[in-house]
């Protein structure tokens, strides 16, 4: 689907504040409310907008520890491992990599004891996990929920 300037304007506005009304989106994009509804429906049907969600402050929820966990895994279990990783509530992000490790996880836990239990008991208990390396994040500098290409 080819996106035009109106689509991109709507996406940028929603990326800043996902609770904007159709009237506010229309005003910011110089289009009618009807156009906003039509465009948003089209963006959702095309899968460009997948859902709407709240962005939470993990520290205020008690999830004070953020870690990047690199995983070396058996190559023939990637589908099963994907399903197992998706069930772990501590995992915020999981992606397959090229290079020295196979999987990168971003994990959020209450404390280092919970992180240790996650890595040693849950993660290393998954069949096919060969080795892990855990990097603790000391300060988040940039954490964007979405990247919208510029003009």
């Amino acid at each position: 689907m080819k996106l035009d300037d109106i689509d991109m304007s709507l996406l940028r506005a929603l990326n800043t504040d996902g609770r904007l009304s159709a009237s506010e989106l229309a005003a910011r994009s110089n289009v009618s409310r009807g156009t906003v509804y039509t465009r948003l429906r089209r963006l959702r049907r095309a899968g460009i907008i997948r859902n709407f969600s709240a962005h939470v402050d993990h520290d205020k929820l008690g999830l004070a520890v953020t870690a990047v966990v690199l995983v070396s895994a058996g190559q023939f279990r990637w589908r099963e491992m994907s399903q197992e990783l998706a069930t772990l509530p501590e995992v915020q992000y999981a992606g397959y990599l090229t290079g020295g490790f196979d999987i990168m996880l971003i994990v959020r836990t209450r404390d280092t004891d919970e992180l240790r239990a996650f890595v040693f008991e849950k993660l290393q208990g998954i069949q096919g996990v060969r080795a892990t390396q855990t990097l603790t994040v000391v300060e988040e500098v940039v954490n964007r929920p979405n990247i919208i290409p510029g003009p």
Side-chain angles (χ1 to χ4, degrees):
M1 175 178 159
K2 179 128 173 75
L3 301 179
D4 63 15
D5 291 342
I6 295 169
D7 295 321
M8 296 306 292
S9 176
L10 294 172
L11 290 171
R12 282 189 203 94
L14 287 171
N15 196 43
T16 302
D17 183 354
R19 295 186 64 179
L20 290 174
S21 67
S23 296
E24 182 62 28
L25 285 168
R28 289 185 185 196
S29 300
N30 280 335
V31 295
S32 70
R33 279 189 8 211
T35 298
V36 168
Y37 287 120
T38 300
R39 295 295 183 107
L40 291 179
R41 184 173 33 255
R42 190 179 66 143
L43 291 167
R44 290 187 75 193
R45 284 186 181 152
I48 293 168
I49 296 176
R50 294 187 304 190
N51 59 42
F52 295 90
S53 63
H55 298 280
V56 300
D57 184 320
H58 294 100
D59 284 336
K60 290 181 181 175
L61 287 175
L63 299 173
V65 175
T66 302
V68 175
V69 182
L70 302 171
V71 180
S72 290
Q75 69 186 74
F76 299 110
R77 288 205 73 247
W78 67 271
R79 281 191 178 94
E80 294 86 356
M81 289 186 75
S82 296
Q83 294 168 351
E84 290 179 68
L85 292 171
T87 68
L88 302 175
E90 299 88 349
V91 175
Q92 180 179 2
Y93 173 88
Y96 284 95
L97 306 172
T98 60
F101 287 91
D102 302 304
I103 303 168
M104 181 191 82
L105 306 175
I106 296 177
V107 175
R108 296 194 184 264
T109 61
R110 288 182 179 87
D111 53 39
T112 55
D113 288 338
E114 198 172 277
L115 177 61
R116 179 197 44 75
F118 170 80
V119 172
F120 293 144
E121 296 168 21
K122 289 184 177 182
L123 187 58
Q124 291 183 357
I126 294 174
Q127 183 182 359
V129 171
R130 291 189 212 155
T132 61
Q133 180 178 355
T134 303
L135 309 164
T136 304
V137 176
V138 294
E139 181 180 358
E140 290 185 40
V141 178
V142 176
N143 185 352
R144 295 183 180 109
N146 303 297
I147 302 296
I148 308 294

